[in-house]
Amino acid sequence: MWLIPLSYFYNLPVLSYSIKGDNELRLYDILGVFILFYYIKYFKTINIEINRIIFFRRFKYFILFCSFSLIFTLLFSIFYRDRILWFIQSFLYLFHMWVFFIGSVFFYFYACKDGVYKKLATYILVLITIESLIVILQNMGVIPFLFSRVYEIGYNGFLSGTFGPNKIVLGMTMLISFSFVIGLLYESKLKISKILLFVALFGSIISIMLSGSRTTYVGLIIFLLYFIISKTGKFLNLVILGSVMFVLLMIINPVVFERINDTINNRIVDRIESHEDIQSVDDMTGVYEDLGSGRSDLHLMYVNHLLKRPYIIPFGIGFNNRLLIGSSAHNMYLSLINEVGIFGLILFLRWMFSFLIIKKRKLPYLQLALNGIVLSMFVTLYFGEHLYVYRPLFGILGYFMIICVLLLVPLRKTIDEK
């Protein structure tokens, strides 16, 4: 259980092998064998518990349908394109999804044990702090790029610590971390070290800024908008705290501040071709085309693809099956319609909504953190598939699941369905 969170922070390869190019096994792959072994061993008992808790039960329906639809992917791989390796790769992605799911189930019941929750929360705060420090030191030139030369070339040497060289991995993992820290920071009933919380808060927000992930920036804005609407006084308190921290950053370490400034200019300001693109509040098409890195074209391609093949829309053509179109949509909703259809998309949305309908009145700041991050995911999934299991995403889905678990465990007496 203690290795599960670490495996989502440490994405450097543990072992290498070759099935489809250069492949790597990560820590969560190794843990996954043990996780699924114990799930199979205690299958009946664990499923009883899964069915008692709404957000586990609903994800179970989604993952079961994804597993069933893998049959379609197999048929396409063999008969349509003669690419059996694609099916093997898709099977490995489904393995990851099962590991993330069952891992979060075990994590939930472990965190419910007396005296464990505070230790786990502190442990994850330490992981957030260490990872933030690595990213900051990398941007100061102290720690080098940690992944292989292939990744360095493919991702232009993007500095992301041990998370993985895709900007979205650093950005989204730290956004999820930021929401977790906010929930713990303001929830006075949970006695967590304030010093550690402030350090983790500062580290996560700096890492988000350094990530250059525009999708994460949108998610952060959505979270903060929900924050200011829900708890205006605490939000102003956070703004003051953040301002003081950034002033100190400018004084103590201007190099990191300059890197943040350069990143935002490079990823946002310099990408907007014309000031006319931001003059109209009603029509943000120009800004979206400037900042979307071709996403609008991908979305249109997927819409046309689905309209030309309406038989795909109800149930999809198979988990991870992109053999007809060649690439993902960079849009979770369109990708799911293509792979598991409207039916699968509804199952996914029901799972996401299950976090919002749980009553959390006894711990309002955990409610703020959970609802805020879930709402930000609803919006940002229009621009990416970060709550899925494609190769460049590493363990974001698994990390999201265990953070949601930790935001809900203190309410276990009210969320377990009787």
Side-chain angles (χ1 to χ4, degrees):
M1 291 302 99
W2 292 88
L3 289 174
I4 287 176
L6 178 63
S7 73
Y8 302 143
F9 281 81
Y10 186 84
N11 286 321
L12 291 169
V14 177
L15 294 172
S16 297
Y17 66 99
S18 182
I19 290 180
K20 190 176 180 230
D22 294 324
N23 304 106
E24 299 159 339
L25 288 177
R26 309 189 191 284
L27 183 56
Y28 53 73
D29 292 307
I30 308 299
L31 291 174
V33 175
F34 295 95
I35 289 170
L36 295 187
F37 170 77
Y38 283 106
Y39 175 53
I40 294 169
K41 184 176 181 180
Y42 302 105
F43 182 80
K44 184 176 180 181
T45 301
I46 294 170
N47 274 316
I48 290 173
E49 296 302 321
I50 286 174
N51 290 332
R52 291 179 62 244
I53 301 172
I54 186 171
F55 54 88
F56 285 146
R57 183 175 68 246
R58 289 189 175 182
F59 192 84
K60 184 191 75 171
Y61 295 148
F62 173 66
I63 198 172
L64 285 175
F65 186 70
C66 288
S67 302
F68 169 77
S69 73
L70 194 64
I71 297 171
F72 302 141
T73 307
L74 174 61
L75 296 176
F76 266 85
S77 299
I78 296 175
F79 298 109
Y80 186 75
R81 289 293 177 91
D82 192 24
R83 292 178 63 181
I84 189 63
L85 290 180
W86 184 273
F87 168 75
I88 295 173
Q89 183 185 60
S90 301
F91 181 83
L92 291 174
Y93 290 161
L94 186 65
F95 167 77
H96 288 155
M97 187 184 285
W98 274 102
V99 169
F100 297 156
F101 171 47
I102 301 303
S104 69
V105 173
F106 287 166
F107 199 78
Y108 172 81
F109 289 104
Y110 181 66
C112 285
K113 294 176 64 176
D114 291 340
V116 170
Y117 181 85
K118 183 177 178 179
K119 294 177 182 178
L120 280 177
T122 301
Y123 173 57
I124 291 180
L125 291 172
V126 170
L127 290 178
I128 295 168
T129 301
I130 292 173
E131 193 65 42
S132 301
L133 181 60
I134 294 173
V135 172
I136 290 169
L137 291 176
Q138 280 186 323
N139 280 272
M140 292 173 61
V142 177
I143 297 178
F145 184 83
L146 298 176
F147 285 79
S148 68
R149 181 63 177 165
V150 174
Y151 281 111
E152 187 173 9
I153 295 171
Y155 290 93
N156 297 316
F158 173 66
L159 301 172
S160 61
T162 61
F163 274 130
N166 194 318
K167 291 179 174 62
I168 197 70
V169 182
L170 173 61
M172 278 299 162
T173 306
M174 282 303 183
L175 176 59
I176 295 167
S177 301
F178 175 77
S179 71
F180 180 56
V181 175
I182 290 294
L184 296 182
L185 180 64
Y186 290 108
E187 198 58 72
S188 58
K189 295 179 182 179
L190 302 177
K191 307 299 182 182
I192 309 292
S193 168
K194 293 296 183 183
I195 294 175
L196 183 56
L197 283 166
F198 285 131
V199 172
L201 178 69
F202 194 39
S204 61
I205 196 67
I206 289 178
S207 298
I208 290 171
M209 295 297 102
L210 287 171
S211 75
S213 168
R214 293 184 290 264
T215 304
T216 303
Y217 294 164
V218 172
L220 179 62
I221 291 170
I222 298 300
F223 182 88
L224 293 177
L225 285 174
Y226 179 76
F227 193 173
I228 193 172
I229 292 171
S230 302
K231 305 288 180 182
T232 306
K234 294 295 184 182
F235 176 81
L236 295 176
N237 174 270
L238 180 67
V239 169
I240 295 170
L241 177 64
S243 301
V244 171
M245 286 181 169
F246 272 96
V247 170
L248 290 175
L249 178 66
M250 291 174 61
I251 297 171
I252 297 172
N253 198 330
V255 175
V256 174
F257 183 80
E258 289 173 7
R259 286 301 298 265
I260 292 174
N261 187 58
D262 291 343
T263 299
I264 293 175
N265 283 330
N266 180 54
R267 298 290 293 170
I268 299 178
V269 178
D270 296 343
R271 291 294 186 102
I272 299 176
E273 295 182 356
S274 171
H275 292 295
E276 294 177 357
D277 289 343
I278 59 176
Q279 287 178 354
S280 174
V281 177
D282 297 328
D283 182 12
M284 297 297 287
T285 304
V287 173
Y288 183 51
E289 290 179 353
D290 291 340
L291 301 180
S293 298
R295 280 175 170 80
S296 58
D297 293 334
L298 275 173
H299 297 174
L300 183 60
M301 180 179 71
Y302 254 77
V303 170
N304 290 331
H305 159 72
L306 293 170
L307 290 177
K308 288 178 182 178
R309 301 170 180 86
Y311 61 85
I312 292 176
I313 296 175
F315 300 104
I317 53 173
F319 175 77
N320 194 48
N321 186 357
R322 303 191 300 277
L323 293 174
L324 286 179
I325 194 166
S327 66
S328 72
H330 281 69
N331 178 309
M332 183 72 168
Y333 308 116
L334 290 174
S335 288
L336 284 180
I337 292 173
N338 176 63
E339 296 180 20
V340 292
I342 290 290
F343 183 73
L345 175 61
I346 291 172
L347 292 177
F348 178 82
L349 292 176
R350 287 181 76 248
W351 168 63
M352 291 286 287
F353 273 112
S354 67
F355 293 113
L356 300 178
I357 63 177
I358 295 169
K359 295 179 181 179
K360 323 173 190 70
R361 296 188 186 97
K362 293 182 179 180
L363 297 170
Y365 292 102
L366 295 190
Q367 175 179 9
L368 166 71
L370 182 61
N371 289 2
I373 195 61
V374 170
L375 290 173
S376 72
M377 290 296 137
F378 273 121
V379 175
T380 56
L381 286 172
Y382 183 81
F383 310 103
E385 295 108 348
H386 34 278
L387 292 189
Y388 211 32
V389 284
Y390 292 150
R391 182 177 181 180
L393 301 174
F394 296 95
I396 301 176
L397 174 60
Y399 185 60
F400 174 79
M401 286 181 163
I402 66 168
I403 291 301
C404 288
V405 160
L406 287 177
L407 290 171
L408 287 170
V409 160
L411 294 155
R412 61 189 180 274
K413 292 182 180 179
T414 59
I415 63 177
D416 287 356
E417 293 190 344
K418 303 301 181 183

